[in-house]
Amino acid sequence: MNDSPLTSPDITQLKRTALELRRLALKIIFQAGSGHPGGSFSATDLMAALYFGGILNYDSENPDDPKRDRFVLSKGHVTGIYYAVLAKAGYITESDLDSYRKINSEKFLSGHPHPKTAGIEIASGSLGQGLSVAHGIALGTRLDGYDSKVYTIMGDGELHEGQVWEAAMSADKFKTNNLVAIVDYNKVAQDSITKDLKDLEPLEDKWKAFNWDVHRIDGHDMQAIMDVLRLPLHPEKPRVIIADTVKGKGVSFMEGKTAWHGVAPSPEDYEKALKELV
Amino acid sequence: MKDAATRDAYGQALVEMGDDPRIVVLDAGVSDSSRSKKFGDKFPERFFNMGIAEADMVCTAAGLATTGKIPFATGFACFLLGRTMDQILVSVAYSNTNVKLVGTHTGLAVGEDGPTAQMIVDIAYTRAIPNMIVVQPADWVETMQATRALAEYNGPAYFRLGRPKVKGIFDSSYKFEIGKGRVVKKGSDLVIFATGIMVQESLTAMEMLEKDGLNVTLVNISTLKPIDRDIIIEMASSHKAVITAEDHNYIGGLGDAVGEVLLEAQISKPFKRIAVKDHFAETGTGPELFEKYGLSANHIAKAVRDSLK
């Protein structure tokens, strides 16, 4: 971990990076004619911090380095932002992104992630599996004696899946403290407000009851994100960061709307959105 | 040769392979029954008892596999597979992670625990999954070798094991190979393709038939996918009739796999499937269920006689 103090120019730069990522994600979703902008934008600041804030230890030139940190996108539908991040991180090129959601995509830029794409550890797209997978990776790297950390981002609706809580119990049992789960708590699922499907609250208490090291932050406050991601690992507990976010963050007419869960913008909406993403 | 349940051989094989640091074993809280506990006792740091949480276990195994481990995710077949179709499809098969799914307590041979514990659709299910191979050994020697072969094979696999003790069929000269069927006994007239416990059951039927002067051929099909087309075509062509035998539903199992090969090769022979006939069974001992539901040596012998009439 980088122990040097974070200066405000760093935060400013990260915010700028997040803005670029939002523009790129929206561009490729627009070009593809389908995708998931709402959940991409709620996760953007978190992913920008992980990949470009010096948190995740990776080398896109050496993607199979066994000592690398790992990232698992458990909410696999937000490939708009994921592929934008992988392009900026150097795993793929920006021109590769033209094949997003297109047949014969050379880098396999499918609607949901697959490890044929450099930088991706595992397929996702069925919610509820990523925490278990990330936990398995964390156990594996620990067996190898590496201090790799494993991060996963889950959606809030995803926490309705029972398997998440199976994994929560497992990571407690094995004291897997190199596992960091991030809940992108944007309050909005596909067809409903999340709490109308099943209310997750009291969410911090739930994770505490499962004996996790629980943190709650504003998932769009870059300083707060960096502060929590730079905390030393808990000596034995796995960590969960509940990040309060806004679905569609950054584009006023998308914010908090179920309607922007899984549709691409029209040309008019795309232009309107770009004007806001400056 | 050794009389033992295939699950016993599996536990022993894991222990013998355990010095390989890549081998990790997971269980869903049934390690005493599945015999994975033997590994856990000797290599506790590489044994993960995940509790009664098969979905979590399968995905944890997939995660471990991405770090170069060779995970054997073990449980009762009913729950290991029944609970985790989605997890197997996404995190194992589609991701092509090197996970070995080991389902014990398969078929009606499980006995008294009844239909919720008698897995009869697992071959159909796993055969239909891209990237997945399916192996069911017949005895101790084959299980020991197949466990090792699956560890050496890089890719997702389903390993189908049984609860009851079965007779030793192969001696130490036997060489298991993924994708290869093997002639257990050479006869004439009719060929039986059998898998798992039904190899033993077929041998019993053959002893009965020999008293009537009927000598049939028995082929062990331990790899259900990829199926050994060559041995099926060769043996079916050189015999008058074909019987398949499996402790599994007759839809999607060995019988269908053999039938597909024969149809595609345009080999038309009298063809009977000894299998569960698309119903749930009941409680009772394994042998009682085999008798009542058409899987016993008596039924195999009758099918042979009927085929050769």
Side-chain angles (χ1 to χ4, degrees), chain A residues 68 70 108 110 112-115 121-144 161 163 166-168 170 173-174, chain B residues 21 24 45-69 83 86-97:
Chain A
R68 70 193 184 277
R70 310 299 208 281
F108 212 76
S110 176
H112 291 81
H114 188 279
E121 308 292 341
I122 191 111
S124 55
S126 173
L127 296 173
Q129 300 186 21
L131 187 59
S132 301
V133 171
H135 182 222
I137 298 173
L139 291 171
T141 59
R142 187 165 80 181
L143 274 178
D144 288 330
E161 291 283 2
Q163 185 184 345
E166 294 179 8
S170 295
K173 167 178 174 170
F174 293 105
Chain B
V24 296
E45 74 287 356
R46 279 183 280 126
F47 178 70
F48 302 98
N49 197 331
M50 306 304 290
I52 306 153
E54 293 80 7
D56 181 40
M57 176 175 74
V58 167
C59 290
T60 306
L64 279 158
T66 70
T67 70
K69 303 293 173 291
R83 288 258 169 168
D86 179 33
Q87 286 77 11
I88 291 171
L89 286 175
V90 176
S91 289
V92 178
Y94 179 51
S95 295
N96 213 6
T97 47

Side-chain angles (χ1 to χ4, degrees), chain B residues 69-81:
Chain B
K69 303 293 173 291
I70 305 171
F72 284 78
T74 315
F76 290 154
C78 274
F79 320 122
L80 172 72
L81 298 178

Side-chain angles (χ1 to χ4, degrees), chain B residues 190 192 194 197-206 208-209 216 243-246 272 274 290 294-307:
Chain B
L190 180 147
I192 300 172
I197 193 172
M198 297 304 280
V199 175
Q200 160 184 293
E201 206 67 27
S202 298
L203 282 169
T204 307
M206 287 159 71
M208 296 158 62
L209 291 163
V216 303
I243 288 175
T244 60
E246 62 196 307
K272 289 187 194 300
I274 296 289
F290 270 32
L295 304 182
S296 69
N298 286 326
H299 288 279
I300 298 169
K302 181 175 185 304
V304 170
R305 290 192 190 97
D306 289 349
S307 296

